[in-house]
Amino acid sequence: METNEVKAYGTEAVNVPLHSMNIKRRELQPHDVEMEILYCGICHSDLHQIKNDFGHTMFPIVPGHEIVGKVTGVGEHVKKFKVGDLAAVGCIVDSCGKCEYCEDDLEQFCDEGVTFSFNSPDKYLGGATLGGFSETYVCNERYVLSVPEKLDLASAAPLLCAGITVYSPLKHWQAGPGKKVGILGIGGLGHLAIKIAKAMGAHVVVFTTSPSKVEDAKRLGADEAVLSTDAEQMSKYAKSLHFILDTVSAKHDVNTYLNLLRPDGSVVLVGLPPEALEIGAFNVVGGRKSFSGSNIGGIAETQEMLNFCAEHNITAEIELINIQQINEAFDRLAKGDVKYRFVIDMASLKK
């Protein structure tokens, strides 16, 4: 297959800092969209992958799956996009397209396995897919999203992973008027969960271990904010919440939060702690509670989320960086030192 060479930032091994490299992108196929990448968000899972925390990183790796850009080329059969359109690519760039889940717009559950925007087998070029820390991206139009023009492009980039990761479970578990929704953790995911749950009409209670974030939670729209290390504060919320979205990506005690649920309530995990979490049997049996999980969303739901965020003027709170600052940004992300999402200005790649 014909290819084009483009600039990117990636690494060949766990302990090698990310650095400039040249990678290959496929030539346009009949249903492909090519975009110049304008902005790319940095997700906690990018950090997990470059550190091989999950044990399945395929090196060399180019991370990045919160991709916003401008269309620079379309294949002859492309119907939804034209050159010059604003477009985006999130986590999913391919699936079988014919199983029951793909047909139901649930590509994230594809029977044959979903292809992610980086670190998945690349059926076109071999090796692994390479992500958005690069000049361009090429993707089948079925997996490309339209970016509403009223959204600020840089701060919209994190919606492509963080946004859909929280929107999908909030919608599935019916966050809305009359529902008391807990948000555990205020980071890249949690701060967007506050904004989205509030826009859905829910009463939002935030739990954080950081005193400084208690006030910030209210600025972001939370109705209440609780310091989770304060046992007296926590005791006031026993059996009061319909649903808790758990965005924490480190080991933590989930049982504490199961005890804050009303009967039939759920704690839903969207963070990705590398270690196993323990669940006490009595904490789920009593009150018929559940501990569940959710992972991103399908393409149609991601488009729905982008449109919802445009309607409600929701974007991420970001720190815009140049690509040359990427290793410092990952070090800071590992320490939780970001409010609330790093986004790379990809124009810096040309420097």
Side-chain angles (χ1 to χ4, degrees):
M1 178 175 282
E2 293 292 314
T3 59
N4 294 310
E5 196 167 88
V6 301
K7 286 183 183 175
Y9 255 65
T11 182
E12 296 84 7
V14 169
N15 296 316
V16 176
L18 271 72
H19 57 87
S20 179
M21 57 170 61
N22 290 328
I23 63 169
K24 288 183 167 56
R25 293 289 187 211
R26 68 179 185 260
E27 286 275 6
L28 280 175
Q29 303 301 296
H31 291 280
D32 280 350
V33 171
E34 177 192 66
M35 69 171 76
E36 175 195 4
I37 300 174
L38 300 176
Y39 299 99
C40 188
I42 301 178
C43 175
H44 213 104
S45 60
D46 294 330
L47 178 62
H48 284 311
Q49 295 283 15
I50 63 171
K51 297 295 185 191
N52 197 22
D53 286 340
F54 303 135
H56 52 69
T57 299
M58 295 182 277
F59 291 100
I61 185 172
V62 173
H65 57 221
E66 298 179 338
I67 302 164
V68 173
K70 186 169 281 191
V71 175
T72 51
V74 294
E76 58 188 295
H77 296 321
V78 169
K79 294 185 173 66
K80 293 192 296 184
F81 295 92
K82 64 184 186 303
V83 171
D85 285 351
L86 296 176
V89 170
C91 303
I92 300 173
V93 296
D94 211 350
S95 63
C96 79
K98 57 185 188 289
C99 71
E100 61 176 305
Y101 301 108
C102 286
E103 288 187 348
D104 283 345
D105 294 324
L106 296 167
E107 296 92 347
Q108 72 270 36
F109 305 137
C110 175
D111 265 342
E112 293 185 20
V114 69
T115 300
F116 294 112
S117 33
F118 74 95
N119 199 43
S120 275
D122 186 334
K123 71 181 184 187
Y124 294 93
L125 300 181
T129 53
L130 300 169
F133 293 7
S134 57
E135 285 182 288
T136 68
Y137 206 89
V138 178
C139 185
N140 185 295
E141 72 166 327
R142 177 174 176 163
Y143 306 92
V144 180
L145 299 137
S146 296
V147 180
E149 288 197 359
K150 68 183 290 188
L151 287 174
D152 174 74
L153 291 185
S155 51
L159 299 177
L160 276 303
C161 174
I164 185 59
T165 295
V166 298
Y167 179 89
S168 185
L170 286 168
K171 182 187 170 195
H172 182 80
W173 274 272
Q174 300 174 338
K179 294 287 180 72
K180 209 166 192 178
V181 171
I183 309 291
L184 175 50
I186 318 177
L189 293 172
H191 91 284
L192 280 170
I194 295 168
K195 294 183 179 189
I196 291 172
K198 192 68 188 161
M200 288 176 168
H203 181 96
V204 179
V205 183
V206 169
F207 298 91
T208 176
T209 56
S210 170
S212 66
K213 287 187 176 177
V214 169
E215 281 311 306
D216 216 30
K218 293 178 180 172
R219 178 185 67 81
L220 291 163
D223 295 288
E224 302 175 64
V226 184
L227 192 61
S228 57
T229 51
D230 184 329
E232 188 178 338
Q233 277 190 54
M234 290 290 283
S235 67
K236 294 174 185 171
Y237 290 87
K239 299 182 181 178
S240 69
L241 298 164
H242 294 90
F243 169 75
I244 297 174
L245 191 66
D246 182 349
T247 73
V248 177
S249 281
K251 186 155 187 176
H252 58 290
D253 185 7
V254 175
N255 298 285
T256 303
Y257 298 94
L258 286 166
N259 290 326
L260 303 185
L261 292 172
R262 294 163 58 93
D264 288 322
S266 295
V267 170
V268 179
L269 182 68
V270 291
L272 293 171
E275 302 166 81
L277 302 178
E278 291 184 5
I279 305 293
F282 288 101
N283 296 321
V284 286
V285 170
R288 199 166 52 194
K289 297 168 204 161
S290 60
F291 178 65
S292 309
S294 182
N295 185 25
I296 56 174
I299 299 301
E301 190 174 45
T302 304
Q303 187 65 61
E304 177 188 305
M305 175 275 305
L306 286 171
N307 297 343
F308 178 92
C309 287
E311 182 185 342
H312 295 277
N313 199 27
I314 294 170
T315 53
E317 316 257 320
I318 67 164
E319 186 174 330
L320 195 62
I321 65 164
N322 289 333
I323 191 81
Q324 293 80 9
Q325 299 168 277
I326 189 69
N327 292 300
E328 177 194 342
F330 273 124
D331 287 344
R332 285 180 52 198
L333 181 60
K335 297 171 189 160
D337 176 23
V338 55
K339 278 191 169 179
Y340 281 95
R341 200 71 155 184
F342 286 118
V343 172
I344 307 165
D345 180 350
M346 296 307 299
S348 61
L349 188 56
K350 295 181 171 71
K351 291 178 183 173

